[in-house]
Amino acid sequence: NLLDALACLFCLLTLGILVRHAMNGGVLDSATPTLAEQAIYTLLTVGASGTLMALDLRRPSIIFRTGSMAVGYLSMISVIGAHYVGLNPYFTGESTGRIAFFNLLFLAYLLPGLAYGVAAWFARGRRPMHYVVALALTGASLLFAYVSLSVRRIYHGADISEWKGFLQSELYTYSVVWLVLSVVLLVIGYRFRAKSLRIAAAILMLITVLKVFLVDMGNLEGLYRVLSLIGLGVALIGIGRFYQTTLAGLASDDGPGKVDPAPDDPPASAENPA
């Protein structure tokens, strides 16, 4: 177990040093990494978590089992500290690049968000519910940040700094894309029987409702205010109807603390305690 732990640790450190070397011209110092470099570290740690999980399924080990979750949680903490706050181009003023789609936002938010979603899907039925939910919520929050910052990039160009303020049409667009994203998460959560994604959809819908009443009502004027309220009302009615007709059975099946089982995964046996 000790040798397994040391092997995993040094493999991950080696990959991290190689990334640092490549992104800084061979200079390994204590300078704060850029968002692009940090995004690669995040992708590496998510991949390492999935790799350790796969190794644990092949050869059950407490090192692989606890290490996969430890690396996963550490990567989530780094996402909160770096992607959302410390290196967020909205706060730092870093350019997001001139290319429309394959830009800094794609690398730092969309790819990690999809990676966390895949990791959550892979962990279903194999890891505790709290870990699966944390992975899914982190992935959903990164997708939320991606669509929000992408909207800002559409209106303000490569520089999305906060000092530029907000346009009325921009504020309205946020409400629209957040509603659409919440519906998409809800549908995916229903399709894959993922309670964590339905929780993320509900949280995002609540954020959108609060924004409409606390921000849009005070800053939007005329047609934008009317469209914001009408769009929110129609979306809420549609989601309520969707829950009534489609998710009523799921609500009764999802007991508190119940793990979301993967549809095609057999139950863990005594030979495979993971």
Side-chain angles (χ1 to χ4, degrees):
N1 286 338
L2 178 60
L3 292 176
D4 282 342
L6 290 174
C8 295
L9 174 63
F10 282 106
C11 283
L12 191 57
L13 287 175
T14 300
L15 292 175
I17 292 174
L18 289 174
V19 171
R20 183 72 173 175
H21 183 279
M23 297 293 290
N24 294 274
V27 178
L28 305 178
D29 55 18
S30 60
T32 302
T34 62
L35 181 58
E37 182 181 349
Q38 179 61 42
I40 297 176
Y41 293 145
T42 299
L43 292 172
L44 279 178
T45 52
V46 176
S49 177
T51 301
L52 291 174
M53 195 185 312
L55 290 174
D56 183 48
L57 295 176
R58 291 176 60 88
R59 181 170 66 86
S61 166
I62 188 173
I63 297 299
F64 297 150
R65 187 162 56 253
T66 58
S68 64
M69 291 192 293
V71 171
Y73 274 122
L74 287 175
S75 69
M76 293 181 231
I77 294 174
S78 70
V79 165
I80 296 173
H83 292 250
Y84 296 154
V85 182
L87 300 175
N88 191 329
Y90 175 76
F91 299 115
T92 63
E94 180 181 0
S95 175
T96 58
R98 297 181 179 180
I99 303 177
F101 180 71
F102 296 102
N103 49 45
L104 181 61
L105 301 180
F106 173 84
L107 176 64
Y109 296 96
L110 180 59
L111 283 184
L114 295 177
Y116 277 106
V118 172
W121 175 80
F122 186 53
R124 291 177 62 194
R126 301 181 176 95
R127 288 296 179 266
M129 183 62 178
H130 61 83
Y131 183 65
V132 178
V133 171
L135 288 173
L137 291 181
T138 302
S141 65
L142 282 168
L143 293 179
F144 168 75
Y146 173 74
V147 298
S148 301
L149 295 176
S150 295
V151 168
R152 185 162 181 84
R153 190 180 186 279
I154 291 174
Y155 283 97
H156 298 280
D159 184 2
I160 58 174
S161 303
E162 60 177 329
W163 63 266
K164 291 187 174 183
F166 296 93
L167 304 174
Q168 287 202 28
S169 55
E170 179 186 356
L171 287 175
Y172 173 71
T173 306
Y174 287 131
S175 300
V176 173
V177 297
W178 292 357
L179 281 174
V180 172
L181 181 59
S182 65
V183 172
V184 170
L185 291 176
L186 180 62
V187 172
I188 295 176
Y190 163 71
R191 172 64 179 81
F192 293 99
R193 301 298 191 268
K195 186 176 181 180
S196 53
L197 287 182
R198 302 200 299 272
I199 293 174
I203 293 174
L204 181 54
M205 180 58 66
L206 177 60
I207 293 174
T208 306
V209 171
L210 292 175
K211 175 189 175 295
V212 169
F213 284 101
L214 298 179
V215 178
D216 291 359
M217 293 298 293
N219 294 276
L220 297 184
E221 298 177 356
L223 184 61
Y224 284 123
R225 179 184 295 183
V226 174
L227 290 177
S228 180
L229 289 174
I230 292 177
L232 178 62
V234 171
L236 291 176
I237 292 173
I239 291 175
R241 182 64 177 169
F242 182 73
Y243 263 105
Q244 279 186 324
T245 58
T246 310
L247 300 182
L250 290 178
S252 60
D253 293 338
D254 291 330
K258 182 179 179 181
V259 176
D260 268 351
D264 300 326
D265 288 335
S269 62
E271 291 76 19
N272 186 11

